[in-house]
Amino acid sequence: MNYLCIDVGTTCCKCQLFAETGDILEYLTEEYGFLQVNQRNYVDTEKIRFVLKAMIAKIAKKHEISSFCVSSLGESFVLLDKDDNLLFPPMLYTDERGREEAQEIIDAIGGAIHHIGNIHKYARPEDVPAHTMFVITTDGMENASHRY
């Protein structure tokens, strides 16, 4: 069995094929740039898809691939429509546009955590749960509220 490990990074993709013995059978790396729209940088998902398909095809011509392991951009996500078409290029983790919204979420959650912490501090030990979970729900009008 051969295991293909794929690392999809912000600017580079790496593929490494391992044999069952742990020997490295193949190693490929390819860099790619950002997609620029209105003087802003985005993750170029089409370029990444093209690079990945080419790298996998190149390895598959020489070796059997038994399984895949993928590590990718954890700090970004892709918005798709109901037919899996890209709605908008994903922002990079370095993009500053979400700073205000992120701070509002932190403030809201932080206030809730502090409030529950005070309740637990003064409650009888048997009334304090072992774990507390916070859930964020929306009504689809996230931008309509200035408080929550």
Side-chain angles (χ1 to χ4, degrees):
M1 291 184 67
N2 297 328
Y3 307 96
L4 182 60
C5 299
I6 301 171
D7 178 15
V8 181
T10 306
T11 60
C12 179
C13 181
K14 297 165 282 298
C15 290
Q16 195 162 4
L17 185 70
F18 291 93
E20 197 168 0
T21 61
D23 295 329
I24 299 171
L25 302 175
E26 194 79 36
Y27 178 77
L28 299 176
T29 182
E30 187 164 338
E31 293 186 6
Y32 36 78
F34 300 123
L35 175 65
Q36 291 194 339
V37 177
N38 298 326
Q39 300 178 346
R40 293 192 184 268
N41 289 327
Y42 294 90
V43 175
D44 191 343
T45 55
E46 288 303 315
K47 178 67 174 177
I48 292 171
R49 182 187 308 187
F50 175 79
V51 166
L52 271 174
K53 287 175 80 172
M55 292 172 85
I56 293 168
K58 185 175 182 178
I59 292 172
K61 281 184 183 178
K62 293 170 62 178
H63 305 280
E64 179 183 344
I65 299 172
S66 305
S67 65
F68 290 85
C69 173
V70 179
S71 134
S72 67
L73 307 167
E75 55 279 332
S76 187
F77 61 93
V78 179
L79 299 173
L80 303 173
D81 67 10
K82 64 180 176 63
D83 298 316
D84 291 337
N85 296 310
L86 187 68
L87 290 174
F88 192 81
M91 293 190 300
L92 293 166
Y93 66 93
T94 56
D95 197 305
E96 299 266 336
R97 287 176 285 170
R99 181 180 295 263
E100 184 178 325
E101 290 84 358
Q103 188 59 53
E104 289 173 8
I105 292 170
I106 290 168
D107 291 346
I109 294 173
I113 291 171
H114 186 259
H115 176 71
I116 295 299
N118 281 335
I119 291 172
H120 290 176
K121 186 162 67 173
Y122 297 108
R124 296 177 311 168
E126 61 270 19
D127 293 335
V128 178
H131 304 283
T132 302
M133 180 184 300
F134 292 87
V135 178
I136 300 171
T137 60
T138 68
D139 60 1
M141 299 184 60
E142 292 81 10
N143 296 326
S145 173
H146 295 286
R147 174 103 174 121
Y148 299 102

